[in-house]
Structure formats: C-alpha cells, structure tokens
Amino acid sequence: MGGLDLELLDSIISFQLDLNRLDAGVRQQVIEILVRMQRELVAKLANEDLTAYGKQRTTALLKDCDEILYRYYTIAQGALDLTLQGVGGITAAHTAQSLSVAVTLSTNLPTETFIKTLVSNALIQGSPTAGGWSTQSLDTTLKFANEVRQGLAQGETNTQIIARIVGKSGNPGIMDISKRNAAALVQSSVQAVANASRL
C-alpha cells in the first residue's frame, strides 16, 4: 500500500471514529430527553389516585400522557434532524476532499438544498427518519396505555402501575424498551445519512 493509500485510509478511519463519537453523543442526548419524559409521566401517575379512576377519568389521564409522549418524541426527532443535516454536509465535504486527494479530481459539493432533501429522504429501517420517530412514538403511546389499563383492571396500586412503565427488579418496563429503540434509530439514522451522503 502506497503513502497516498495509507493517508486516505487513515482519513476514512478517523472520520468514521468521529462519526461514531457524534452518534454516541446524540444517542445520549435522545436518551436524556426520554428520561425527562419518563419522569414527567411517572409524576403524572404518582400524583393521581388511580385506584379511584373510572373509564372517563382514565381516558382523560391517558390523553394527557399521550400529549407528553408526543411532545418529547417531537423534541427527540428535532435533535436528531438537526444533527443529520450536519452529518450530511460534513460527510459530503469529507468525501469530496478525500476523492480530490486520492485521484486528483476536482469535485463539487452538492447544494445545501440537495443535502436537506437527501437527509429527509434517507431510509432508516425502511422509512424516512420522521416515520421512524412517528412509529416509535405511537408504539410507546399504545404500550403505555395498555400497561396503565391492565394495571387498573387488575386493581394494582400506583407504584405497581409505575413499575410497569419504568421496570422493577431487573424486569424492563416499556420505557427501557423505548430508550433502546430510540438509541437504535439514532445510530441507524446517522449511518444511513452518512452512507447516502458519501454516495
């Protein structure tokens, strides 16, 4: 392998490591958003006498919780979307620079509009990023409502219902699953946008 090949390989590996660090930081940011969401949901459940709830009050409670879930998932999606715009532009610029060094070709960067379109149309887990967040938000909302209703139907205490949401004694709650799914979506999104931008 020649000096130029090693330089190019080093540049590609270094860039990928930086991309992985960025990905880890964004995953942590999204997890923190979902932790705040979890705290707000738990506070909502803890401050109510769930055992005295009838159907109408349960429906109202779940509607309030749906709004909390929607709001935080929208914040998480916004944080990732902003990052993906940067990833698209930086990856395209790095690829162009690497190509110009490797094969001494003059390369033109895509326009900012093209990068935005590329990012918004990149398929992550079979759908655009927004579709992934929408699916995860809906999934968490349905699971949350099911766990609350099941706990109420079985006459559980607030503490027992909250344990269904946050987990207890090694048994994951629905929020643990939601955090893992969100972290996977972030990782898949960053890599998919980087790959599309390289192309």
Side-chain angles (χ1 to χ4, degrees):
M1 209 179 262
L4 187 59
D5 292 339
L6 288 174
E7 185 181 332
L8 182 59
L9 183 61
D10 184 52
S11 174
I12 291 168
I13 290 171
S14 176
F15 184 78
Q16 187 59 46
L17 288 172
D18 288 342
L19 198 58
N20 289 346
R21 286 185 196 102
L22 173 74
D23 166 35
V26 176
R27 275 186 279 149
Q28 184 60 40
Q29 182 184 4
V30 167
I31 296 299
E32 288 170 7
I33 290 167
L34 295 185
V35 166
R36 289 195 313 265
M37 177 181 75
Q38 176 179 313
R39 282 191 204 119
E40 193 170 332
L41 289 169
V42 166
K44 184 88 175 146
L45 294 175
N47 292 329
E48 304 288 337
D49 181 11
L50 298 177
T51 56
Y53 268 38
K55 185 176 180 180
Q56 189 174 15
R57 286 183 68 195
T58 300
T59 301
L61 170 72
L62 292 176
K63 185 175 185 235
D64 290 346
C65 292
D66 289 354
E67 291 170 4
I68 293 168
L69 287 157
Y70 177 79
R71 181 168 30 98
Y72 279 99
Y73 270 101
T74 301
I75 293 168
Q77 179 183 347
L80 180 59
D81 285 349
L82 186 62
T83 300
L84 293 179
Q85 293 296 329
V87 166
I90 291 168
T91 303
H94 178 267
T95 303
Q97 187 239 350
S98 297
L99 284 173
S100 65
V101 169
V103 291
T104 57
L105 287 176
S106 174
T107 55
N108 293 322
L109 287 175
T111 65
E112 187 176 325
T113 304
F114 181 84
I115 292 291
K116 284 183 179 179
T117 303
L118 177 101
V119 168
S120 65
N121 292 335
L123 294 181
I124 293 94
Q125 300 173 349
S127 66
T129 309
W133 284 111
S134 178
T135 300
Q136 285 199 19
S137 175
L138 181 59
D139 183 57
T140 303
T141 300
L142 291 173
K143 287 179 179 174
F144 179 88
N146 288 341
E147 292 298 333
V148 170
R149 283 188 180 111
Q150 190 171 355
L152 289 172
Q154 294 178 5
E156 293 178 352
T157 65
N158 287 25
T159 304
Q160 291 170 314
I161 293 171
I162 290 169
R164 291 172 167 275
I165 307 304
V166 300
K168 184 179 176 184
S169 305
N171 292 327
I174 62 161
M175 289 309 303
D176 294 320
I177 297 164
S178 295
K179 289 176 211 166
R180 281 196 303 269
N181 290 343
L185 180 59
V186 168
Q187 187 173 25
S188 299
S189 299
V190 169
Q191 294 306 319
V193 166
N195 290 338
S197 299
R198 281 187 195 104
L199 292 174

